[in-house]
């Protein structure tokens, strides 16, 4: 059992990280040229489907948050209580960091098996091409790595990081309370919710201007392995969220607003009702983009499972209990298929499609049948060698359903 989040990720960390100075490139190197990028936002611009913007002081905030989580898995918040000058200071600190010469940044490089420090996107291992971005990850104290960047004067940077984490923690708790509230659950119902979570992670991302943005990818499509993520982006757009039936939609920067997205653990907690949203970052030909993601999760060894208030015999739990530590290990190994690995009625022929993560499984016809199988009184317990019969009966049930429809 992992006790620290960093231990959970280490075994799958990157080997052979390749560091190019993207800031000085005049051409897109082959290593960063993606063969086919999905086309940009695919909605019809005459009827734009816009990511909700919620004023947290709105008396209807709980309802609005619930609706946004259910339909999008992402929204922006205003009146969130984080001082604007702190957002600006954080952005300025990030800008200063990424503006350092590459040799200097590499002094604070993530160690081959580490998680904190400077480096390329961690998810790079899952793709044949590199992404047009650089990052700096802070877990716990920023001091160790910051001191390598600025040997004599890193305290300003560290102070901003600490203040930012504190404010984000307050906001994350408030958002959790709204999100749980919208599910009809209070913070008191969830024992760990009011306690100090695990050491959260702060991820600073830099997307330098790119000579060939149509063939480059800033950060490839992924879901976050968190309960929720709070993202500050500078005034350059690039973040896109995927919406079922609509496609990729740009989440435009709104001065002072923060982007909130549902992560995989809230997806599990809500029993699939709130989808962890697939998102990615595109790059720009002329503008440098910067973002700061606050990755919020539960205490690392608390078992996260669908809330009991949301499950009954008609809505059985779709996911087995899993700790954040364990889940991070799965994510590092299976990436976008990690959710399927903890699904109780995971498809029996292996993993499903990478995009299946945000299906509200409970509502699909096949899940009705899967649930039937799960709750069959004759369901053999694992290890009796009878599972194969259930594979067959499941297939038959699916076929029957297709015929009946
Ligand atoms: C992330 C992320 C998006 C962005 O860091 O997990 O999704 O716009 N970032 O930088
Ligand atoms: Ni993300």
């Amino acid at each position: 059992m992992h006790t620290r989040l960093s231990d959970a990720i280490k075994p799958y960390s990157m080997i052979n990280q390749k560091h190019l100075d993207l800031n000085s490139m005049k051409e897109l190197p082959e290593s960063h040229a993606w063969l086919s990028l999905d086309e940009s936002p695919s909605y019809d611009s005459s009827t734009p489907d816009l990511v909700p913007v919620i004023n947290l002081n709105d008396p209807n905030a709980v309802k609005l948050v619930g609706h946004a989580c259910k339909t999008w898995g992402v929204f922006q918040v205003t009146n969130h209580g984080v001082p604007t000058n702190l957002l600006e200071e954080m952005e300025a600190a990030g800008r200063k960091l990424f503006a350092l010469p590459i040799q200097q940044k590499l002094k604070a490089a993530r160690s081959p098996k580490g998680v904190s420090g400077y480096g390329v996107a961690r998810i790079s291992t899952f793709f044949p091409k590199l992404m047009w971005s650089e990052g700096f990850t802070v877990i716990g104290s920023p001091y160790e790595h910051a001191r390598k960047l600025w040997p004599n004067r890193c305290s300003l940077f560290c102070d901003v990081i600490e203040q930012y984490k504190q404010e984000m923690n307050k906001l994350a708790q408030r958002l959790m309370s709204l999100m749980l509230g919208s599910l009809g659950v209070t913070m008191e119902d969830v024992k760990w919710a009011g306690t100090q979570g695990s050491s959260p992670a702060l991820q600073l991302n830099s997307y330098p201007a790119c000579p060939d943005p149509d063939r480059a990818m800033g950060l490839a499509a992924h879901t976050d392995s968190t309960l929720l993520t709070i993202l500050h982006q500078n005034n350059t757009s690039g973040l896109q969220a995927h919406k079922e039936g609509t496609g990729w939609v740009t989440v435009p920067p709104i001065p002072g607003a923060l982007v909130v997205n549902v992560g995989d653990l809230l997806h599990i907690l809500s029993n699939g009702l709130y989808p962890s949203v697939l998102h990615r970052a595109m790059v720009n030909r002329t503008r440098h983009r910067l973002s700061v993601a606050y990755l919020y999760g539960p205490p690392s060894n608390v078992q996260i499972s669908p809330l009991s208030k949301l499950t009954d015999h008609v809505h059985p739990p779709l996911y087995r209990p899993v700790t954040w530590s364990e889940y991070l290990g799965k994510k590092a190994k299976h990436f976008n298929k990690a959710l399927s690995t903890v699904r109780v009625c995971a498809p029996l022929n292996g993993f499903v499609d990478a995009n299946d993560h945000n299906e509200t499984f409970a509502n699909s016809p096949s899940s009705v049948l899967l649930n039937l199988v799960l709750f069959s009184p004759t369901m053999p317990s694992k290890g009796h060698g009878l599972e194969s019969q259930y594979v067959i009966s499941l297939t038959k049930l699916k076929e029957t359903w297709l015929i009946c429809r």
Side-chain angles (χ1 to χ4, degrees):
M1 175 72 78
H2 300 293
T3 49
R4 288 193 320 166
L5 294 179
S6 47
D7 291 338
I9 312 174
K10 271 182 186 168
Y12 310 102
S13 286
M14 307 187 53
I15 318 157
N16 299 330
Q17 289 192 11
K18 189 169 176 183
H19 294 284
L20 295 179
D21 186 6
L22 302 181
N23 298 284
S24 62
M25 296 261 160
K26 299 280 177 283
E27 264 181 31
L28 188 72
E30 264 319 294
S31 54
H32 291 66
W34 290 54
L35 289 177
S36 63
L37 288 182
D38 280 343
E39 33 346 300
S40 301
S42 50
Y43 62 75
D44 170 5
S45 55
S46 59
T47 52
D49 206 357
L50 298 177
V51 172
V53 180
I54 301 173
N55 171 356
L56 288 188
N57 289 342
D58 190 313
N60 279 327
V62 172
K63 220 165 133 189
L64 295 170
V65 163
H67 187 252
C69 286
K70 204 185 248 178
T71 52
W72 282 89
V74 61
F75 54 96
Q76 303 212 52
V77 290
T78 59
N79 279 314
H80 43 64
V82 181
T84 312
N85 67 327
L86 183 58
L87 296 176
E88 287 166 358
E89 281 170 30
M90 187 66 243
E91 191 180 314
R95 200 176 287 283
K96 220 161 105 188
L97 187 163
F98 291 113
L100 289 170
I102 183 82
Q103 294 79 6
Q104 192 65 20
K105 289 185 276 194
L106 286 174
K107 287 185 182 159
R110 223 180 269 143
S111 68
K113 290 191 162 190
V115 253
S116 296
Y118 174 78
V120 299
R122 292 189 49 80
I123 59 174
S124 296
T125 41
F126 296 98
F127 297 92
K129 295 289 179 168
L130 288 169
M131 294 169 212
W132 194 263
S133 58
E134 48 187 338
F136 186 81
T137 312
V138 180
I139 295 184
S141 166
Y143 183 74
E144 183 198 335
H145 286 90
R147 151 177 90 81
K148 294 179 186 156
L149 295 171
W150 300 284
N152 304 317
R153 47 194 171 85
C154 70
S155 61
L156 194 68
F157 178 82
C158 293
D159 286 352
V160 174
I161 295 268
E162 292 301 348
Q163 272 182 51
Y164 192 82
K165 283 201 298 194
Q166 241 178 44
E167 286 296 326
M168 284 292 147
N169 186 264
K170 275 197 264 176
L171 177 58
Q173 296 261 338
R174 187 170 167 201
L175 288 165
M176 267 309 280
S177 158
L178 289 167
M179 286 163 159
L180 289 176
S182 63
L183 289 166
V185 172
T186 65
M187 292 287 268
E188 289 71 42
D189 288 331
V190 185
K191 282 194 269 333
W192 48 264
T195 63
Q196 179 74 36
S198 321
S199 180
L202 210 57
Q203 175 66 34
L204 280 66
N205 300 304
S206 165
Y207 305 92
C210 175
D212 195 354
D214 297 337
R215 292 198 304 146
M217 173 59 82
L219 190 60
H222 66 281
T223 62
D224 293 345
S225 314
T226 53
L227 282 166
L228 62 92
T229 302
I230 305 172
L231 185 101
H232 167 64
Q233 49 178 343
N234 74 346
N235 61 5
T236 300
S237 67
L239 175 64
Q240 295 185 335
H242 194 264
K243 190 177 184 223
E244 216 48 60
T246 300
W248 289 105
V249 180
T250 296
V251 187
I254 300 175
L258 292 163
V259 182
V260 179
N261 66 264
V262 172
D264 295 344
L265 296 186
L266 189 57
H267 181 123
I268 294 174
L269 210 60
S270 68
N271 207 24
L273 208 62
Y274 291 174
S276 59
V277 66
L278 195 64
H279 55 284
R280 66 182 185 183
M282 309 306 277
V283 291
N284 189 285
R285 188 181 296 277
T286 52
R287 302 178 65 142
H288 178 204
R289 180 164 180 272
L290 216 104
S291 73
V292 183
Y294 178 80
L295 307 164
Y296 180 76
S300 63
N301 287 319
V302 164
Q303 297 278 353
I304 301 300
S305 54
L307 293 162
S308 55
K309 276 201 179 168
L310 302 179
T311 59
D312 55 31
H313 62 285
V314 187
H315 307 96
L318 300 178
Y319 299 93
R320 70 164 175 81
V322 64
T323 64
W324 196 18
S325 272
E326 188 194 350
Y327 189 73
L328 284 174
K330 295 211 173 283
K331 192 67 171 252
K333 201 166 168 191
H334 303 289
F335 189 40
N336 279 352
K337 292 169 184 166
L339 260 184
S340 318
T341 68
V342 292
R343 192 136 81 187
V344 174
C345 11
L348 298 166
N349 57 349
F351 300 131
V352 281
D353 194 12
N355 285 335
D356 87 312
H357 65 276
N358 50 5
E359 243 178 77
T360 31
F361 207 65
N363 298 330
S364 69
S366 56
S367 80
V368 175
L369 299 167
L370 288 166
N371 296 343
L372 270 176
V373 172
L374 188 73
F375 279 85
S376 157
T378 53
M379 175 78 177
S381 59
K382 227 178 156 220
H384 286 190
L386 296 172
E387 287 91 338
S388 57
Q389 290 183 10
Y390 274 78
V391 179
I392 295 161
S393 55
L394 181 65
T395 315
K396 286 236 174 299
L397 276 166
K398 270 192 162 174
E399 282 166 6
T400 315
W401 179 268
L402 288 174
I403 293 161
C404 293
R405 269 202 303 176

